[in-house]
PDB file of all heavy atoms in Angstrom:
ATOM      1  N   LEU A 101     -11.564  63.875  -1.291  1.00 98.00           N
ATOM      2  CA  LEU A 101     -11.696  63.072  -0.052  1.00 98.00           C
ATOM      3  C   LEU A 101     -12.182  63.929   1.092  1.00 98.00           C
ATOM      4  O   LEU A 101     -13.021  63.496   1.908  1.00 98.00           O
ATOM      5  CB  LEU A 101     -10.337  62.431   0.290  1.00 98.00           C
ATOM      6  CG  LEU A 101      -9.812  61.348  -0.658  1.00 98.00           C
ATOM      7  CD1 LEU A 101      -8.443  60.868  -0.198  1.00 98.00           C
ATOM      8  CD2 LEU A 101     -10.778  60.179  -0.784  1.00 98.00           C
ATOM      9  N   ARG A 110     -18.852  57.296   1.234  1.00 98.00           N
ATOM     10  CA  ARG A 110     -17.775  56.484   0.691  1.00 98.00           C
ATOM     11  C   ARG A 110     -18.044  56.262  -0.809  1.00 98.00           C
ATOM     12  O   ARG A 110     -19.186  56.014  -1.193  1.00 98.00           O
ATOM     13  CB  ARG A 110     -17.673  55.169   1.441  1.00 98.00           C
ATOM     14  CG  ARG A 110     -17.004  55.332   2.800  1.00 98.00           C
ATOM     15  CD  ARG A 110     -16.717  53.997   3.437  1.00 98.00           C
ATOM     16  NE  ARG A 110     -17.940  53.361   3.901  1.00 98.00           N
ATOM     17  CZ  ARG A 110     -18.489  53.585   5.089  1.00 98.00           C
ATOM     18  NH1 ARG A 110     -17.949  54.421   5.924  1.00 98.00           N
ATOM     19  NH2 ARG A 110     -19.607  52.950   5.436  1.00 98.00           N
ATOM     20  N   ALA A 125       0.897  57.067  -0.106  1.00 97.00           N
ATOM     21  CA  ALA A 125       0.267  57.655   1.083  1.00 97.00           C
ATOM     22  C   ALA A 125      -1.156  58.082   0.785  1.00 97.00           C
ATOM     23  O   ALA A 125      -2.072  57.883   1.616  1.00 97.00           O
ATOM     24  CB  ALA A 125       1.100  58.843   1.557  1.00 97.00           C
ATOM     25  N   LEU A 126      -1.369  58.653  -0.382  1.00 98.00           N
ATOM     26  CA  LEU A 126      -2.734  59.076  -0.762  1.00 98.00           C
ATOM     27  C   LEU A 126      -3.650  57.888  -0.890  1.00 98.00           C
ATOM     28  O   LEU A 126      -4.801  57.914  -0.435  1.00 98.00           O
ATOM     29  CB  LEU A 126      -2.659  59.885  -2.081  1.00 98.00           C
ATOM     30  CG  LEU A 126      -3.979  60.341  -2.680  1.00 98.00           C
ATOM     31  CD1 LEU A 126      -4.802  61.135  -1.676  1.00 98.00           C
ATOM     32  CD2 LEU A 126      -3.714  61.187  -3.926  1.00 98.00           C
ATOM     33  N   VAL A 127      -3.164  56.830  -1.531  1.00 98.00           N
ATOM     34  CA  VAL A 127      -3.982  55.624  -1.691  1.00 98.00           C
ATOM     35  C   VAL A 127      -4.295  55.006  -0.322  1.00 98.00           C
ATOM     36  O   VAL A 127      -5.430  54.528  -0.097  1.00 98.00           O
ATOM     37  CB  VAL A 127      -3.284  54.609  -2.648  1.00 98.00           C
ATOM     38  CG1 VAL A 127      -4.042  53.312  -2.716  1.00 98.00           C
ATOM     39  CG2 VAL A 127      -3.145  55.231  -4.029  1.00 98.00           C
ATOM     40  N   GLN A 128      -3.321  55.035   0.555  1.00 98.00           N
ATOM     41  CA  GLN A 128      -3.571  54.517   1.905  1.00 98.00           C
ATOM     42  C   GLN A 128      -4.640  55.353   2.608  1.00 98.00           C
ATOM     43  O   GLN A 128      -5.496  54.808   3.315  1.00 98.00           O
ATOM     44  CB  GLN A 128      -2.272  54.531   2.716  1.00 98.00           C
ATOM     45  CG  GLN A 128      -1.335  53.403   2.317  1.00 98.00           C
ATOM     46  CD  GLN A 128       0.031  53.494   2.978  1.00 98.00           C
ATOM     47  OE1 GLN A 128       0.415  54.544   3.487  1.00 98.00           O
ATOM     48  NE2 GLN A 128       0.776  52.403   2.936  1.00 98.00           N
ATOM     49  N   ARG A 129      -4.621  56.648   2.374  1.00 98.00           N
ATOM     50  CA  ARG A 129      -5.655  57.505   2.989  1.00 98.00           C
ATOM     51  C   ARG A 129      -7.041  57.137   2.418  1.00 98.00           C
ATOM     52  O   ARG A 129      -8.020  57.032   3.167  1.00 98.00           O
ATOM     53  CB  ARG A 129      -5.351  58.991   2.693  1.00 98.00           C
ATOM     54  CG  ARG A 129      -6.443  59.897   3.233  1.00 98.00           C
ATOM     55  CD  ARG A 129      -6.288  61.363   2.906  1.00 98.00           C
ATOM     56  NE  ARG A 129      -7.553  62.027   3.227  1.00 98.00           N
ATOM     57  CZ  ARG A 129      -7.883  63.251   2.873  1.00 98.00           C
ATOM     58  NH1 ARG A 129      -7.017  64.007   2.227  1.00 98.00           N
ATOM     59  NH2 ARG A 129      -9.071  63.771   3.193  1.00 98.00           N
ATOM     60  N   MET A 130      -7.085  56.951   1.083  1.00 98.00           N
ATOM     61  CA  MET A 130      -8.370  56.596   0.458  1.00 98.00           C
ATOM     62  C   MET A 130      -8.919  55.304   1.093  1.00 98.00           C
ATOM     63  O   MET A 130     -10.102  55.232   1.456  1.00 98.00           O
ATOM     64  CB  MET A 130      -8.173  56.384  -1.047  1.00 98.00           C
ATOM     65  CG  MET A 130      -7.804  57.645  -1.780  1.00 98.00           C
ATOM     66  SD  MET A 130      -7.007  57.320  -3.375  1.00 98.00           S
ATOM     67  CE  MET A 130      -8.411  56.912  -4.386  1.00 98.00           C
ATOM     68  N   ALA A 131      -8.049  54.309   1.220  1.00 98.00           N
ATOM     69  CA  ALA A 131      -8.490  53.022   1.790  1.00 98.00           C
ATOM     70  C   ALA A 131      -8.881  53.198   3.251  1.00 98.00           C
ATOM     71  O   ALA A 131      -9.906  52.663   3.693  1.00 98.00           O
ATOM     72  CB  ALA A 131      -7.376  51.995   1.640  1.00 98.00           C
ATOM     73  N   ALA A 132      -8.081  53.957   4.013  1.00 98.00           N
ATOM     74  CA  ALA A 132      -8.349  54.150   5.449  1.00 98.00           C
ATOM     75  C   ALA A 132      -9.676  54.854   5.676  1.00 98.00           C
ATOM     76  O   ALA A 132     -10.338  54.630   6.691  1.00 98.00           O
ATOM     77  CB  ALA A 132      -7.205  54.921   6.091  1.00 98.00           C
ATOM     78  N   GLU A 133     -10.059  55.720   4.716  1.00 98.00           N
ATOM     79  CA  GLU A 133     -11.330  56.441   4.886  1.00 98.00           C
ATOM     80  C   GLU A 133     -12.519  55.658   4.338  1.00 98.00           C
ATOM     81  O   GLU A 133     -13.618  56.194   4.216  1.00 98.00           O
ATOM     82  CB  GLU A 133     -11.190  57.837   4.229  1.00 98.00           C
ATOM     83  CG  GLU A 133     -10.192  58.687   5.021  1.00 98.00           C
ATOM     84  CD  GLU A 133      -9.995  60.096   4.492  1.00 98.00           C
ATOM     85  OE1 GLU A 133     -10.700  60.525   3.551  1.00 98.00           O
ATOM     86  OE2 GLU A 133      -9.124  60.797   5.051  1.00 98.00           O
ATOM     87  N   GLY A 134     -12.269  54.408   3.968  1.00 98.00           N
ATOM     88  CA  GLY A 134     -13.374  53.524   3.605  1.00 98.00           C
ATOM     89  C   GLY A 134     -13.761  53.516   2.145  1.00 98.00           C
ATOM     90  O   GLY A 134     -14.791  52.957   1.771  1.00 98.00           O
ATOM     91  N   HIS A 135     -12.956  54.121   1.296  1.00 98.00           N
ATOM     92  CA  HIS A 135     -13.275  54.140  -0.128  1.00 98.00           C
ATOM     93  C   HIS A 135     -12.764  52.861  -0.796  1.00 98.00           C
ATOM     94  O   HIS A 135     -11.857  52.197  -0.291  1.00 98.00           O
ATOM     95  CB  HIS A 135     -12.668  55.374  -0.794  1.00 98.00           C
ATOM     96  CG  HIS A 135     -13.144  56.656  -0.198  1.00 98.00           C
ATOM     97  ND1 HIS A 135     -14.469  57.062  -0.309  1.00 98.00           N
ATOM     98  CD2 HIS A 135     -12.517  57.579   0.569  1.00 98.00           C
ATOM     99  CE1 HIS A 135     -14.613  58.212   0.343  1.00 98.00           C
ATOM    100  NE2 HIS A 135     -13.455  58.556   0.890  1.00 98.00           N
ATOM    101  N   GLU A 136     -13.373  52.551  -1.902  1.00 98.00           N
ATOM    102  CA  GLU A 136     -13.054  51.334  -2.645  1.00 98.00           C
ATOM    103  C   GLU A 136     -12.126  51.713  -3.789  1.00 98.00           C
ATOM    104  O   GLU A 136     -12.379  52.701  -4.481  1.00 98.00           O
ATOM    105  CB  GLU A 136     -14.369  50.744  -3.183  1.00 98.00           C
ATOM    106  CG  GLU A 136     -14.262  49.469  -3.940  1.00 98.00           C
ATOM    107  CD  GLU A 136     -15.639  49.032  -4.472  1.00 98.00           C
ATOM    108  OE1 GLU A 136     -16.617  49.793  -4.311  1.00 98.00           O
ATOM    109  OE2 GLU A 136     -15.712  47.970  -5.083  1.00 98.00           O
ATOM    110  N   ILE A 137     -11.037  50.954  -3.962  1.00 98.00           N
ATOM    111  CA  ILE A 137     -10.080  51.265  -5.009  1.00 98.00           C
ATOM    112  C   ILE A 137     -10.045  50.102  -6.008  1.00 98.00           C
ATOM    113  O   ILE A 137      -9.764  48.968  -5.640  1.00 98.00           O
ATOM    114  CB  ILE A 137      -8.675  51.518  -4.403  1.00 98.00           C
ATOM    115  CG1 ILE A 137      -8.794  52.666  -3.391  1.00 98.00           C
ATOM    116  CG2 ILE A 137      -7.675  51.876  -5.500  1.00 98.00           C
ATOM    117  CD1 ILE A 137      -7.676  52.713  -2.405  1.00 98.00           C
ATOM    118  N   ALA A 170      -0.376  49.089  -2.499  1.00 97.00           N
ATOM    119  CA  ALA A 170      -0.599  50.390  -1.864  1.00 97.00           C
ATOM    120  C   ALA A 170      -1.786  50.396  -0.885  1.00 97.00           C
ATOM    121  O   ALA A 170      -1.703  51.029   0.167  1.00 97.00           O
ATOM    122  CB  ALA A 170      -0.817  51.456  -2.919  1.00 97.00           C
ATOM    123  N   SER A 171      -2.837  49.687  -1.234  1.00 97.00           N
ATOM    124  CA  SER A 171      -4.059  49.780  -0.428  1.00 97.00           C
ATOM    125  C   SER A 171      -4.266  48.594   0.501  1.00 97.00           C
ATOM    126  O   SER A 171      -5.075  48.653   1.430  1.00 97.00           O
ATOM    127  CB  SER A 171      -5.290  49.874  -1.343  1.00 97.00           C
ATOM    128  OG  SER A 171      -5.555  48.629  -1.960  1.00 97.00           O
ATOM    129  N   GLY A 172      -3.558  47.489   0.223  1.00 96.00           N
ATOM    130  CA  GLY A 172      -3.743  46.291   1.042  1.00 96.00           C
ATOM    131  C   GLY A 172      -4.905  45.420   0.595  1.00 96.00           C
ATOM    132  O   GLY A 172      -5.210  44.412   1.227  1.00 96.00           O
ATOM    133  N   ARG A 173      -5.521  45.780  -0.516  1.00 97.00           N
ATOM    134  CA  ARG A 173      -6.677  44.995  -0.995  1.00 97.00           C
ATOM    135  C   ARG A 173      -6.618  44.907  -2.525  1.00 97.00           C
ATOM    136  O   ARG A 173      -6.410  45.917  -3.201  1.00 97.00           O
ATOM    137  CB  ARG A 173      -7.977  45.685  -0.575  1.00 97.00           C
ATOM    138  CG  ARG A 173      -9.247  45.109  -1.169  1.00 97.00           C
ATOM    139  CD  ARG A 173     -10.423  46.011  -0.848  1.00 97.00           C
ATOM    140  NE  ARG A 173     -11.612  45.655  -1.604  1.00 97.00           N
ATOM    141  CZ  ARG A 173     -11.863  46.073  -2.842  1.00 97.00           C
ATOM    142  NH1 ARG A 173     -11.000  46.837  -3.491  1.00 97.00           N
ATOM    143  NH2 ARG A 173     -12.982  45.730  -3.449  1.00 97.00           N
ATOM    144  N   ARG A 264     -20.700  52.273  -1.861  1.00 98.00           N
ATOM    145  CA  ARG A 264     -19.605  51.828  -2.739  1.00 98.00           C
ATOM    146  C   ARG A 264     -20.158  50.831  -3.745  1.00 98.00           C
ATOM    147  O   ARG A 264     -21.227  50.256  -3.586  1.00 98.00           O
ATOM    148  CB  ARG A 264     -18.501  51.168  -1.906  1.00 98.00           C
ATOM    149  CG  ARG A 264     -17.999  52.043  -0.823  1.00 98.00           C
ATOM    150  CD  ARG A 264     -16.921  51.464   0.053  1.00 98.00           C
ATOM    151  NE  ARG A 264     -16.597  50.059  -0.105  1.00 98.00           N
ATOM    152  CZ  ARG A 264     -15.511  49.501   0.403  1.00 98.00           C
ATOM    153  NH1 ARG A 264     -14.663  50.215   1.093  1.00 98.00           N
ATOM    154  NH2 ARG A 264     -15.285  48.222   0.248  1.00 98.00           N
TER     155      ARG A 264
END
Side-chain angles (χ1 to χ4, degrees):
L101 293 178
R110 284 189 288 274
L126 176 54
V127 174
Q128 284 173 343
R129 177 184 167 192
M130 294 159 79
E133 293 181 5
H135 301 293
E136 182 183 4
I137 303 160
S171 73
R173 172 189 168 276
R264 304 179 353 166

